[in-house]
Amino acid sequence: MTEDEPAGALPGDRPCAARGGLSDQTQQRIGHQLRALYDSVLEQPVPDRFRDLIARLDDGSPSPDDIGSV
């Protein structure tokens, strides 16, 4: 590693000025990692409280907090 190379840079992984300084290899690596992260998030179940809230919003039912403030 030299002063011009960031820590963790791979040999031949040179920045490309036209695309914000990231090489094609680095952009692909980041893209694969982000896809894996987002895929795992999509596989998680929706919490019950979110489903209840969406159901109440869809049918216009007031929440218990709204009833006490009227």
Side-chain angles (χ1 to χ4, degrees):
M1 182 172 79
T2 66
E3 290 180 25
D4 297 334
E5 295 177 1
L10 298 174
D13 197 21
R14 299 281 181 225
C16 178
R19 283 189 294 262
L22 297 177
S23 71
D24 289 340
Q25 181 182 9
T26 301
Q27 289 181 12
Q28 288 176 0
R29 191 170 47 237
I30 291 171
H32 289 299
Q33 290 174 347
L34 285 173
R35 277 188 214 98
L37 173 68
Y38 292 140
D39 286 346
S40 70
V41 170
L42 290 175
E43 292 174 7
Q44 296 178 10
V46 176
D48 291 337
R49 62 189 177 134
F50 289 167
R51 276 190 266 142
D52 293 343
L53 175 61
I54 292 169
R56 284 198 312 261
L57 291 171
D58 283 344
D59 62 330
S61 301
S63 70
D65 294 333
D66 292 338
I67 295 171
S69 64
V70 174

